[in-house]
Amino acid sequence: LRVLGEPPESVQARAPFSLVVAAVDSIGNPNYGWTGNIAAALEPNAAGAALTGIFVKTACALPNCSSGTNFDQISIDRVAENVRVRLQALGLEAVLTREVDAVPGPASELRFTTQPSAVAAGAAITPAVVVAVTDNRGNIVTASSGSVTISLGTNPGAATLGGSLTVNLVNGVATFPGLTVSAPGTGYRLSATSTVSGATSQYLSSPFNVTSP
């Protein structure tokens, strides 16, 4: 096998990218008459990343095409550095692509990566609520700086939210230890906003209940 079209050096994690591969003869010329299956997989890597999508394809052969087999529906499932795609087929020598970095895209939203859980009125919500700045595919944008502010987005008990309500981001993540809700109620939701460009809209947590102490 030979890589005819390398993947980009940098791709957005979880977003599709493409590469082109072909079977070759003994002197390295593409053999477009070969019709076996080609499988793509990431080499083992420190991030534990893997390929997702359609990563086994039947070679595109003459007369349908003469430019190789295009893997255009694969993606890397998490942020990772210096990973390579291995392409292999039965009876042929495997080949590796160049190194690829899978990186977050631009900040676009907030996500509650640790949701609030049921709690008694006045007691601290545990585990601590965590909010992350992410791109449009859920990758945490670790370069984000600024702050996140928490409030009660849904307040069935007319309660007051206590604790540190504005927290600075560290590696794209804001952690809120010690949040309290002053009154019992069913279906509270927290609201998060941030100062990060592109992720300034309000985002709501999952509902949670507060019981009498």
Side-chain angles (χ1 to χ4, degrees), residues 98-197:
R98 66 183 175 188
E99 291 185 338
V100 177
D101 291 334
V103 301
S108 65
E109 58 189 65
L110 300 177
R111 294 195 182 195
F112 285 85
T113 55
T114 301
Q115 295 280 353
S117 57
V119 67
I125 298 173
T126 55
V129 172
V130 180
V131 177
V133 178
T134 72
D135 64 14
N136 64 332
R137 294 184 180 272
N139 302 300
I140 296 176
V141 184
T142 56
S144 297
S145 61
S147 62
V148 176
T149 298
I150 288 282
S151 61
L152 287 172
T154 303
N155 190 357
T160 299
L161 183 64
S164 297
L165 305 184
T166 297
V167 172
N168 290 329
L169 290 159
V170 177
N171 295 325
V173 173
T175 302
F176 294 85
L179 291 179
T180 61
V181 181
S182 64
T186 301
Y188 281 97
R189 297 180 80 177
L190 297 179
S191 169
T193 58
S194 82
T195 61
V196 178
S197 177

